[in-house]
Amino acid sequence: MNTDRFKFRVWDNEGKCYSTACFFIFGEGELFVFIGGVFHKANKERYTVEQCTGLKDENGKLIFEGDKIGMTHFYFDGCGESERNFIGYVMWNKGEFVLSKNQEKPEYENETEIIPHLSWGDSFEIIGNIHDGEKRT
């Protein structure tokens, strides 16, 4: 079982960095932070929770939601195996992780083009993050 798939990181929108605090998600997505031995309800507007895809890039780095990656996607086109290259942001959409050209919502150049989902047979490289340009630690 790939336990990396169940890892998360939390971006602090106010501090402009990834938080090192201990967070928990309870019930229907309520976010709590554990500070001083006590659970405190966290402001959902302040924090962005990003889940791991369970995949690693070519350099062995875990890929999370919000990462900007370059990807070579292999698929069968009826005549054999083909490949397409994509650059996009990792996001969760309709039950799977996909690459989107828009970092805010799933968006693709052409509705008929093959929209890659992230899978083990593909080649990835993390080239950025939706938070690039902001202070990151």
CSV table of all heavy atoms in Angstrom, one decimal, residues 69-129:
chain,number,residue,atom,x,y,z
A,69,ILE,N,3.9,20.8,-12.8
A,69,ILE,CA,4.8,19.8,-13.3
A,69,ILE,C,4.8,19.7,-14.8
A,69,ILE,O,3.8,20.1,-15.5
A,69,ILE,CB,4.4,18.4,-12.7
A,69,ILE,CG1,3.0,17.9,-13.2
A,69,ILE,CG2,4.5,18.4,-11.2
A,69,ILE,CD1,2.7,16.5,-12.8
A,70,GLY,N,5.9,19.3,-15.3
A,70,GLY,CA,6.0,18.9,-16.7
A,70,GLY,C,5.8,17.4,-16.7
A,70,GLY,O,6.3,16.7,-15.9
A,71,MET,N,5.0,16.9,-17.7
A,71,MET,CA,4.7,15.5,-17.7
A,71,MET,C,4.7,15.0,-19.2
A,71,MET,O,4.3,15.7,-20.1
A,71,MET,CB,3.3,15.3,-17.2
A,71,MET,CG,2.7,14.0,-17.3
A,71,MET,SD,1.0,14.0,-16.7
A,71,MET,CE,0.4,12.5,-17.4
A,72,THR,N,5.3,13.8,-19.3
A,72,THR,CA,5.2,13.1,-20.6
A,72,THR,C,4.1,12.0,-20.4
A,72,THR,O,4.3,11.1,-19.5
A,72,THR,CB,6.5,12.5,-21.0
A,72,THR,OG1,7.5,13.5,-21.1
A,72,THR,CG2,6.4,11.7,-22.3
A,73,HIS,N,3.0,12.0,-21.1
A,73,HIS,CA,1.9,11.1,-20.9
A,73,HIS,C,1.9,10.1,-22.0
A,73,HIS,O,1.9,10.5,-23.2
A,73,HIS,CB,0.6,11.9,-20.9
A,73,HIS,CG,-0.6,11.1,-20.8
A,73,HIS,ND1,-0.9,10.3,-19.7
A,73,HIS,CD2,-1.7,10.9,-21.6
A,73,HIS,CE1,-2.1,9.7,-19.9
A,73,HIS,NE2,-2.5,10.1,-21.0
A,74,PHE,N,2.0,8.8,-21.7
A,74,PHE,CA,2.0,7.7,-22.6
A,74,PHE,C,0.6,7.2,-22.8
A,74,PHE,O,-0.1,7.0,-21.8
A,74,PHE,CB,3.0,6.7,-22.2
A,74,PHE,CG,4.4,7.2,-22.1
A,74,PHE,CD1,4.9,7.5,-20.9
A,74,PHE,CD2,5.1,7.3,-23.2
A,74,PHE,CE1,6.2,8.0,-20.8
A,74,PHE,CE2,6.4,7.8,-23.2
A,74,PHE,CZ,7.0,8.1,-21.9
A,75,TYR,N,0.1,6.9,-24.0
A,75,TYR,CA,-1.3,6.4,-24.2
A,75,TYR,C,-1.3,5.6,-25.5
A,75,TYR,O,-0.4,5.8,-26.3
A,75,TYR,CB,-2.3,7.5,-24.2
A,75,TYR,CG,-2.1,8.5,-25.4
A,75,TYR,CD1,-2.9,8.4,-26.5
A,75,TYR,CD2,-1.2,9.5,-25.3
A,75,TYR,CE1,-2.8,9.2,-27.6
A,75,TYR,CE2,-1.1,10.4,-26.4
A,75,TYR,CZ,-1.8,10.2,-27.5
A,75,TYR,OH,-1.7,11.1,-28.6
A,76,PHE,N,-2.3,4.9,-25.7
A,76,PHE,CA,-2.5,4.1,-26.9
A,76,PHE,C,-3.5,4.9,-27.8
A,76,PHE,O,-4.6,5.2,-27.4
A,76,PHE,CB,-3.0,2.7,-26.6
A,76,PHE,CG,-1.9,1.9,-26.0
A,76,PHE,CD1,-1.9,1.7,-24.6
A,76,PHE,CD2,-0.9,1.2,-26.8
A,76,PHE,CE1,-0.9,1.0,-24.0
A,76,PHE,CE2,0.1,0.5,-26.2
A,76,PHE,CZ,0.1,0.4,-24.8
A,77,ASP,N,-3.1,5.1,-29.0
A,77,ASP,CA,-4.0,5.9,-29.9
A,77,ASP,C,-4.7,5.1,-31.0
A,77,ASP,O,-5.2,5.6,-32.0
A,77,ASP,CB,-3.2,7.0,-30.6
A,77,ASP,CG,-2.1,6.5,-31.5
A,77,ASP,OD1,-1.9,5.3,-31.6
A,77,ASP,OD2,-1.3,7.4,-32.0
A,78,GLY,N,-4.7,3.8,-30.9
A,78,GLY,CA,-5.3,2.9,-31.9
A,78,GLY,C,-4.3,2.3,-32.8
A,78,GLY,O,-4.5,1.2,-33.4
A,79,CYS,N,-3.1,3.0,-33.0
A,79,CYS,CA,-2.1,2.5,-33.9
A,79,CYS,C,-0.8,2.1,-33.1
A,79,CYS,O,0.2,1.7,-33.6
A,79,CYS,CB,-1.7,3.6,-34.9
A,79,CYS,SG,-3.0,4.0,-36.0
A,80,GLY,N,-0.9,2.2,-31.8
A,80,GLY,CA,0.3,1.9,-31.0
A,80,GLY,C,0.4,2.9,-29.9
A,80,GLY,O,-0.5,3.8,-29.7
A,81,GLU,N,1.5,2.9,-29.2
A,81,GLU,CA,1.7,3.8,-28.1
A,81,GLU,C,2.2,5.1,-28.6
A,81,GLU,O,3.1,5.2,-29.5
A,81,GLU,CB,2.8,3.2,-27.1
A,81,GLU,CG,2.9,4.0,-25.9
A,81,GLU,CD,3.9,3.4,-24.8
A,81,GLU,OE1,4.7,2.5,-25.2
A,81,GLU,OE2,3.7,3.7,-23.7
A,82,SER,N,1.7,6.2,-28.0
A,82,SER,CA,2.1,7.6,-28.4
A,82,SER,C,2.4,8.3,-27.1
A,82,SER,O,2.1,7.8,-26.0
A,82,SER,CB,1.0,8.3,-29.1
A,82,SER,OG,0.7,7.7,-30.4
A,83,GLU,N,2.9,9.5,-27.2
A,83,GLU,CA,3.2,10.3,-26.0
A,83,GLU,C,2.8,11.7,-26.3
A,83,GLU,O,2.9,12.2,-27.4
A,83,GLU,CB,4.6,10.2,-25.5
A,83,GLU,CG,5.7,10.8,-26.4
A,83,GLU,CD,7.1,10.7,-25.9
A,83,GLU,OE1,7.5,9.5,-25.7
A,83,GLU,OE2,7.7,11.7,-25.7
A,84,ARG,N,2.4,12.4,-25.3
A,84,ARG,CA,2.1,13.9,-25.3
A,84,ARG,C,2.8,14.5,-24.1
A,84,ARG,O,2.8,14.0,-23.1
A,84,ARG,CB,0.6,14.1,-25.3
A,84,ARG,CG,0.0,13.6,-26.6
A,84,ARG,CD,-1.5,13.9,-26.6
A,84,ARG,NE,-1.6,15.3,-27.0
A,84,ARG,CZ,-2.8,15.8,-27.3
A,84,ARG,NH1,-3.9,15.1,-27.2
A,84,ARG,NH2,-2.8,17.1,-27.7
A,85,ASN,N,3.3,15.7,-24.3
A,85,ASN,CA,3.9,16.5,-23.3
A,85,ASN,C,2.9,17.6,-22.8
A,85,ASN,O,2.3,18.2,-23.6
A,85,ASN,CB,5.2,17.1,-23.7
A,85,ASN,CG,6.2,16.1,-24.1
A,85,ASN,OD1,6.5,15.1,-23.3
A,85,ASN,ND2,6.8,16.2,-25.2
A,86,PHE,N,2.8,17.7,-21.5
A,86,PHE,CA,2.0,18.7,-20.8
A,86,PHE,C,2.7,19.4,-19.8
A,86,PHE,O,3.7,18.9,-19.1
A,86,PHE,CB,0.8,18.0,-20.1
A,86,PHE,CG,-0.2,17.4,-21.0
A,86,PHE,CD1,0.0,16.1,-21.5
A,86,PHE,CD2,-1.4,18.1,-21.4
A,86,PHE,CE1,-1.0,15.5,-22.3
A,86,PHE,CE2,-2.3,17.5,-22.2
A,86,PHE,CZ,-2.1,16.2,-22.7
A,87,ILE,N,2.4,20.7,-19.5
A,87,ILE,CA,2.8,21.4,-18.4
A,87,ILE,C,1.5,21.9,-17.7
A,87,ILE,O,0.6,22.5,-18.4
A,87,ILE,CB,3.7,22.6,-18.7
A,87,ILE,CG1,5.0,22.1,-19.2
A,87,ILE,CG2,3.9,23.5,-17.5
A,87,ILE,CD1,6.0,23.1,-19.7
A,88,GLY,N,1.4,21.7,-16.4
A,88,GLY,CA,0.1,22.1,-15.8
A,88,GLY,C,0.2,22.0,-14.3
A,88,GLY,O,1.3,21.6,-13.7
A,89,TYR,N,-0.9,22.4,-13.7
A,89,TYR,CA,-1.0,22.3,-12.2
A,89,TYR,C,-1.7,21.1,-11.8
A,89,TYR,O,-2.7,20.8,-12.4
A,89,TYR,CB,-1.7,23.6,-11.7
A,89,TYR,CG,-0.9,24.8,-12.0
A,89,TYR,CD1,-1.1,25.6,-13.1
A,89,TYR,CD2,0.1,25.3,-11.1
A,89,TYR,CE1,-0.4,26.7,-13.4
A,89,TYR,CE2,0.8,26.4,-11.3
A,89,TYR,CZ,0.6,27.1,-12.5
A,89,TYR,OH,1.3,28.3,-12.7
A,90,VAL,N,-1.2,20.4,-10.7
A,90,VAL,CA,-1.9,19.2,-10.2
A,90,VAL,C,-3.1,19.7,-9.4
A,90,VAL,O,-3.0,20.5,-8.5
A,90,VAL,CB,-1.0,18.4,-9.3
A,90,VAL,CG1,-1.7,17.2,-8.7
A,90,VAL,CG2,0.3,18.0,-10.1
A,91,MET,N,-4.3,19.1,-9.8
A,91,MET,CA,-5.5,19.3,-9.0
A,91,MET,C,-6.4,18.1,-9.0
A,91,MET,O,-6.3,17.3,-9.9
A,91,MET,CB,-6.2,20.6,-9.5
A,91,MET,CG,-6.6,20.6,-10.9
A,91,MET,SD,-7.5,22.2,-11.4
A,91,MET,CE,-6.8,23.4,-10.4
A,92,TRP,N,-7.3,18.1,-8.0
A,92,TRP,CA,-8.2,17.0,-7.9
A,92,TRP,C,-9.5,17.4,-8.6
A,92,TRP,O,-10.0,18.5,-8.4
A,92,TRP,CB,-8.5,16.8,-6.4
A,92,TRP,CG,-9.5,15.7,-6.1
A,92,TRP,CD1,-10.8,15.8,-5.8
A,92,TRP,CD2,-9.1,14.3,-6.1
A,92,TRP,NE1,-11.3,14.5,-5.6
A,92,TRP,CE2,-10.3,13.6,-5.8
A,92,TRP,CE3,-8.0,13.6,-6.4
A,92,TRP,CZ2,-10.4,12.2,-5.7
A,92,TRP,CZ3,-8.0,12.2,-6.3
A,92,TRP,CH2,-9.2,11.5,-5.9
A,93,ASN,N,-9.9,16.5,-9.5
A,93,ASN,CA,-11.1,16.8,-10.3
A,93,ASN,C,-11.8,15.5,-10.7
A,93,ASN,O,-11.3,14.6,-11.2
A,93,ASN,CB,-10.7,17.5,-11.6
A,93,ASN,CG,-11.9,17.9,-12.5
A,93,ASN,OD1,-12.8,18.5,-12.0
A,93,ASN,ND2,-11.9,17.6,-13.7
A,94,LYS,N,-13.1,15.4,-10.3
A,94,LYS,CA,-14.0,14.3,-10.6
A,94,LYS,C,-13.3,13.0,-10.2
A,94,LYS,O,-13.3,12.0,-11.0
A,94,LYS,CB,-14.3,14.3,-12.1
A,94,LYS,CG,-15.1,15.6,-12.4
A,94,LYS,CD,-15.5,15.6,-13.9
A,94,LYS,CE,-16.3,16.9,-14.2
A,94,LYS,NZ,-16.6,17.0,-15.6
A,95,GLY,N,-12.8,12.9,-9.0
A,95,GLY,CA,-12.3,11.6,-8.5
A,95,GLY,C,-10.9,11.2,-8.9
A,95,GLY,O,-10.5,10.1,-8.7
A,96,GLU,N,-10.1,12.1,-9.5
A,96,GLU,CA,-8.7,11.8,-9.9
A,96,GLU,C,-7.9,13.1,-9.9
A,96,GLU,O,-8.4,14.2,-10.0
A,96,GLU,CB,-8.7,11.1,-11.2
A,96,GLU,CG,-9.1,11.9,-12.4
A,96,GLU,CD,-9.0,11.1,-13.7
A,96,GLU,OE1,-8.5,10.0,-13.8
A,96,GLU,OE2,-9.6,11.6,-14.7
A,97,PHE,N,-6.6,12.9,-9.8
A,97,PHE,CA,-5.7,14.0,-10.0
A,97,PHE,C,-5.4,14.2,-11.5
A,97,PHE,O,-5.2,13.3,-12.2
A,97,PHE,CB,-4.3,13.7,-9.3
A,97,PHE,CG,-4.4,13.8,-7.8
A,97,PHE,CD1,-4.4,12.6,-7.1
A,97,PHE,CD2,-4.4,15.0,-7.2
A,97,PHE,CE1,-4.4,12.6,-5.7
A,97,PHE,CE2,-4.5,15.0,-5.8
A,97,PHE,CZ,-4.5,13.9,-5.0
A,98,VAL,N,-5.5,15.5,-11.9
A,98,VAL,CA,-5.3,15.8,-13.3
A,98,VAL,C,-4.4,17.0,-13.4
A,98,VAL,O,-4.1,17.7,-12.4
A,98,VAL,CB,-6.7,16.2,-14.0
A,98,VAL,CG1,-7.6,15.0,-14.0
A,98,VAL,CG2,-7.3,17.4,-13.4
A,99,LEU,N,-3.9,17.3,-14.6
A,99,LEU,CA,-3.1,18.5,-14.9
A,99,LEU,C,-4.0,19.5,-15.5
A,99,LEU,O,-4.8,19.2,-16.5
A,99,LEU,CB,-2.0,18.2,-15.8
A,99,LEU,CG,-0.8,17.5,-15.3
A,99,LEU,CD1,0.3,17.3,-16.3
A,99,LEU,CD2,-0.2,18.1,-14.1
A,100,SER,N,-4.0,20.7,-15.0
A,100,SER,CA,-4.8,21.8,-15.6
A,100,SER,C,-3.9,23.0,-16.0
A,100,SER,O,-2.9,23.3,-15.3
A,100,SER,CB,-5.8,22.3,-14.6
A,100,SER,OG,-6.5,23.4,-15.1
A,101,LYS,N,-4.2,23.6,-17.1
A,101,LYS,CA,-3.4,24.8,-17.5
A,101,LYS,C,-3.7,26.0,-16.6
A,101,LYS,O,-2.9,26.9,-16.5
A,101,LYS,CB,-3.6,25.1,-19.0
A,101,LYS,CG,-3.2,24.0,-19.9
A,101,LYS,CD,-3.0,24.4,-21.3
A,101,LYS,CE,-2.5,23.3,-22.2
A,101,LYS,NZ,-1.1,23.1,-22.0
A,102,ASN,N,-4.8,26.0,-16.0
A,102,ASN,CA,-5.3,27.1,-15.1
A,102,ASN,C,-5.1,26.6,-13.7
A,102,ASN,O,-5.6,25.5,-13.3
A,102,ASN,CB,-6.7,27.4,-15.4
A,102,ASN,CG,-7.3,28.5,-14.5
A,102,ASN,OD1,-6.9,28.7,-13.4
A,102,ASN,ND2,-8.2,29.3,-15.1
A,103,GLN,N,-4.4,27.4,-12.8
A,103,GLN,CA,-4.2,27.0,-11.4
A,103,GLN,C,-5.4,27.1,-10.5
A,103,GLN,O,-5.4,26.6,-9.4
A,103,GLN,CB,-3.0,27.7,-10.9
A,103,GLN,CG,-3.2,29.2,-10.7
A,103,GLN,CD,-1.9,29.9,-10.3
A,103,GLN,OE1,-0.8,29.3,-10.4
A,103,GLN,NE2,-2.0,31.1,-9.9
A,104,GLU,N,-6.4,27.7,-11.0
A,104,GLU,CA,-7.6,28.0,-10.2
A,104,GLU,C,-8.7,26.9,-10.3
A,104,GLU,O,-9.4,26.5,-9.4
A,104,GLU,CB,-8.2,29.3,-10.4
A,104,GLU,CG,-7.3,30.5,-10.1
A,104,GLU,CD,-7.0,30.6,-8.7
A,104,GLU,OE1,-7.8,30.4,-7.8
A,104,GLU,OE2,-5.8,31.0,-8.4
A,105,LYS,N,-8.9,26.4,-11.6
A,105,LYS,CA,-9.9,25.4,-11.9
A,105,LYS,C,-9.5,24.6,-13.1
A,105,LYS,O,-8.7,25.0,-13.8
A,105,LYS,CB,-11.3,26.1,-12.2
A,105,LYS,CG,-11.2,27.0,-13.4
A,105,LYS,CD,-12.6,27.7,-13.6
A,105,LYS,CE,-12.5,28.7,-14.7
A,105,LYS,NZ,-12.5,28.3,-16.0
A,106,PRO,N,-10.0,23.4,-13.2
A,106,PRO,CA,-9.6,22.6,-14.3
A,106,PRO,C,-10.0,23.3,-15.6
A,106,PRO,O,-11.1,23.7,-15.8
A,106,PRO,CB,-10.5,21.3,-14.2
A,106,PRO,CG,-10.8,21.2,-12.7
A,106,PRO,CD,-10.9,22.7,-12.3
A,107,GLU,N,-9.0,23.4,-16.5
A,107,GLU,CA,-9.1,24.1,-17.8
A,107,GLU,C,-8.1,23.5,-18.7
A,107,GLU,O,-7.0,23.3,-18.4
A,107,GLU,CB,-8.9,25.6,-17.6
A,107,GLU,CG,-9.1,26.3,-18.9
A,107,GLU,CD,-8.8,27.8,-18.7
A,107,GLU,OE1,-9.7,28.5,-18.1
A,107,GLU,OE2,-7.7,28.3,-19.1
A,108,TYR,N,-8.6,23.2,-20.0
A,108,TYR,CA,-7.7,22.6,-20.9
A,108,TYR,C,-7.8,23.3,-22.2
A,108,TYR,O,-8.8,24.0,-22.5
A,108,TYR,CB,-8.2,21.1,-21.1
A,108,TYR,CG,-8.4,20.4,-19.8
A,108,TYR,CD1,-9.6,20.3,-19.2
A,108,TYR,CD2,-7.3,19.9,-19.1
A,108,TYR,CE1,-9.8,19.7,-18.0
A,108,TYR,CE2,-7.4,19.3,-17.9
A,108,TYR,CZ,-8.7,19.2,-17.3
A,108,TYR,OH,-8.9,18.6,-16.1
A,109,GLU,N,-6.8,23.2,-23.1
A,109,GLU,CA,-6.7,23.9,-24.3
A,109,GLU,C,-7.9,23.5,-25.2
A,109,GLU,O,-8.4,24.3,-25.9
A,109,GLU,CB,-5.4,23.6,-25.1
A,109,GLU,CG,-4.2,24.3,-24.5
A,109,GLU,CD,-3.0,24.0,-25.3
A,109,GLU,OE1,-3.1,23.4,-26.4
A,109,GLU,OE2,-1.9,24.4,-24.9
A,110,ASN,N,-8.2,22.3,-25.2
A,110,ASN,CA,-9.2,21.7,-26.2
A,110,ASN,C,-10.0,20.6,-25.5
A,110,ASN,O,-9.4,19.7,-25.0
A,110,ASN,CB,-8.5,21.2,-27.4
A,110,ASN,CG,-9.4,20.7,-28.5
A,110,ASN,OD1,-10.5,20.3,-28.2
A,110,ASN,ND2,-8.9,20.7,-29.7
A,111,GLU,N,-11.3,20.7,-25.4
A,111,GLU,CA,-12.1,19.7,-24.7
A,111,GLU,C,-11.9,18.3,-25.3
A,111,GLU,O,-12.1,17.3,-24.7
A,111,GLU,CB,-13.6,20.1,-24.8
A,111,GLU,CG,-13.9,21.3,-23.9
A,111,GLU,CD,-13.6,21.0,-22.4
A,111,GLU,OE1,-13.8,19.9,-21.9
A,111,GLU,OE2,-13.2,22.0,-21.8
A,112,THR,N,-11.5,18.2,-26.6
A,112,THR,CA,-11.4,16.9,-27.2
A,112,THR,C,-9.9,16.3,-27.0
A,112,THR,O,-9.7,15.2,-27.4
A,112,THR,CB,-11.7,17.0,-28.7
A,112,THR,OG1,-10.8,17.9,-29.4
A,112,THR,CG2,-13.1,17.4,-29.0
A,113,GLU,N,-9.0,17.1,-26.5
A,113,GLU,CA,-7.7,16.6,-26.4
A,113,GLU,C,-7.6,15.6,-25.2
A,113,GLU,O,-8.5,15.7,-24.3
A,113,GLU,CB,-6.7,17.8,-26.2
A,113,GLU,CG,-6.3,18.1,-24.8
A,113,GLU,CD,-5.3,19.2,-24.7
A,113,GLU,OE1,-4.5,19.5,-25.6
A,113,GLU,OE2,-5.3,19.8,-23.6
A,114,ILE,N,-6.7,14.8,-25.2
A,114,ILE,CA,-6.6,13.8,-24.1
A,114,ILE,C,-6.1,14.6,-22.9
A,114,ILE,O,-5.1,15.3,-22.9
A,114,ILE,CB,-5.5,12.7,-24.5
A,114,ILE,CG1,-6.0,11.9,-25.6
A,114,ILE,CG2,-5.2,11.9,-23.2
A,114,ILE,CD1,-5.0,10.9,-26.1
A,115,ILE,N,-6.9,14.5,-21.8
A,115,ILE,CA,-6.6,15.1,-20.6
A,115,ILE,C,-6.0,14.1,-19.7
A,115,ILE,O,-6.6,13.1,-19.2
A,115,ILE,CB,-7.9,15.7,-19.9
A,115,ILE,CG1,-8.5,16.7,-20.9
A,115,ILE,CG2,-7.6,16.3,-18.6
A,115,ILE,CD1,-9.9,17.1,-20.5
A,116,PRO,N,-4.7,14.2,-19.4
A,116,PRO,CA,-4.0,13.2,-18.6
A,116,PRO,C,-4.4,13.2,-17.1
A,116,PRO,O,-4.5,14.2,-16.5
A,116,PRO,CB,-2.6,13.5,-18.8
A,116,PRO,CG,-2.5,15.0,-18.9
A,116,PRO,CD,-3.8,15.3,-19.7
A,117,HIS,N,-4.6,12.0,-16.6
A,117,HIS,CA,-4.7,11.9,-15.2
A,117,HIS,C,-3.3,11.4,-14.8
A,117,HIS,O,-2.5,10.8,-15.6
A,117,HIS,CB,-5.8,10.9,-14.8
A,117,HIS,CG,-5.5,9.5,-15.3
A,117,HIS,ND1,-5.8,9.1,-16.5
A,117,HIS,CD2,-5.0,8.4,-14.7
A,117,HIS,CE1,-5.5,7.9,-16.7
A,117,HIS,NE2,-5.0,7.4,-15.6
A,118,LEU,N,-2.9,11.6,-13.5
A,118,LEU,CA,-1.6,11.2,-13.1
A,118,LEU,C,-1.6,9.7,-12.8
A,118,LEU,O,-2.4,9.2,-12.1
A,118,LEU,CB,-1.2,12.0,-11.9
A,118,LEU,CG,-1.2,13.5,-12.0
A,118,LEU,CD1,-0.8,14.2,-10.8
A,118,LEU,CD2,-0.3,13.9,-13.2
A,119,SER,N,-0.6,9.0,-13.4
A,119,SER,CA,-0.5,7.5,-13.2
A,119,SER,C,0.9,7.1,-13.2
A,119,SER,O,1.8,7.9,-13.6
A,119,SER,CB,-1.3,6.8,-14.3
A,119,SER,OG,-0.7,7.0,-15.6
A,120,TRP,N,1.1,5.9,-12.7
A,120,TRP,CA,2.5,5.4,-12.5
A,120,TRP,C,3.3,5.3,-13.8
A,120,TRP,O,4.5,5.3,-13.7
A,120,TRP,CB,2.4,4.0,-11.8
A,120,TRP,CG,2.0,4.2,-10.4
A,120,TRP,CD1,0.7,3.9,-9.9
A,120,TRP,CD2,2.7,4.7,-9.3
A,120,TRP,NE1,0.6,4.2,-8.6
A,120,TRP,CE2,1.8,4.7,-8.2
A,120,TRP,CE3,4.0,5.2,-9.1
A,120,TRP,CZ2,2.2,5.1,-6.9
A,120,TRP,CZ3,4.4,5.6,-7.9
A,120,TRP,CH2,3.5,5.5,-6.8
A,121,GLY,N,2.7,5.1,-14.9
A,121,GLY,CA,3.5,4.9,-16.2
A,121,GLY,C,4.0,6.2,-16.8
A,121,GLY,O,4.7,6.1,-17.8
A,122,ASP,N,3.7,7.3,-16.2
A,122,ASP,CA,4.1,8.6,-16.8
A,122,ASP,C,5.3,9.1,-16.2
A,122,ASP,O,5.7,8.7,-15.2
A,122,ASP,CB,2.9,9.6,-16.7
A,122,ASP,CG,1.6,9.1,-17.4
A,122,ASP,OD1,1.8,8.6,-18.5
A,122,ASP,OD2,0.6,9.3,-16.9
A,123,SER,N,5.9,10.1,-16.9
A,123,SER,CA,7.2,10.7,-16.5
A,123,SER,C,6.9,12.1,-16.0
A,123,SER,O,6.3,12.9,-16.8
A,123,SER,CB,8.2,10.7,-17.6
A,123,SER,OG,9.3,11.4,-17.3
A,124,PHE,N,7.3,12.5,-14.8
A,124,PHE,CA,7.0,13.8,-14.2
A,124,PHE,C,8.2,14.5,-13.8
A,124,PHE,O,9.2,13.9,-13.3
A,124,PHE,CB,6.1,13.7,-13.0
A,124,PHE,CG,5.0,12.7,-13.1
A,124,PHE,CD1,5.0,11.5,-12.5
A,124,PHE,CD2,3.8,13.1,-13.7
A,124,PHE,CE1,4.0,10.6,-12.6
A,124,PHE,CE2,2.7,12.3,-13.7
A,124,PHE,CZ,2.8,11.0,-13.2
A,125,GLU,N,8.1,15.9,-13.8
A,125,GLU,CA,9.1,16.7,-13.1
A,125,GLU,C,8.5,17.9,-12.5
A,125,GLU,O,7.8,18.6,-13.2
A,125,GLU,CB,10.2,17.1,-14.0
A,125,GLU,CG,11.3,17.9,-13.3
A,125,GLU,CD,12.5,18.3,-14.2
A,125,GLU,OE1,12.3,18.2,-15.5
A,125,GLU,OE2,13.5,18.7,-13.7
A,126,ILE,N,8.7,18.1,-11.2
A,126,ILE,CA,8.1,19.3,-10.5
A,126,ILE,C,8.9,20.5,-11.0
A,126,ILE,O,10.1,20.5,-10.9
A,126,ILE,CB,8.1,19.2,-9.0
A,126,ILE,CG1,7.3,18.0,-8.6
A,126,ILE,CG2,7.7,20.5,-8.4
A,126,ILE,CD1,7.4,17.7,-7.1
A,127,ILE,N,8.2,21.5,-11.6
A,127,ILE,CA,8.9,22.7,-12.1
A,127,ILE,C,8.4,23.9,-11.4
A,127,ILE,O,8.9,25.0,-11.7
A,127,ILE,CB,8.8,22.8,-13.6
A,127,ILE,CG1,7.3,22.9,-14.0
A,127,ILE,CG2,9.5,21.7,-14.3
A,127,ILE,CD1,7.0,23.1,-15.5
A,128,GLY,N,7.6,23.8,-10.4
A,128,GLY,CA,7.1,25.0,-9.7
A,128,GLY,C,5.9,24.6,-8.8
A,128,GLY,O,5.6,23.4,-8.5
A,129,ASN,N,5.1,25.6,-8.4
A,129,ASN,CA,4.0,25.5,-7.5
A,129,ASN,C,3.1,26.7,-7.7
A,129,ASN,O,3.6,27.7,-8.1
A,129,ASN,CB,4.6,25.4,-6.1
A,129,ASN,CG,3.6,25.1,-5.0
A,129,ASN,OD1,2.8,25.9,-4.6
A,129,ASN,ND2,3.6,23.8,-4.6
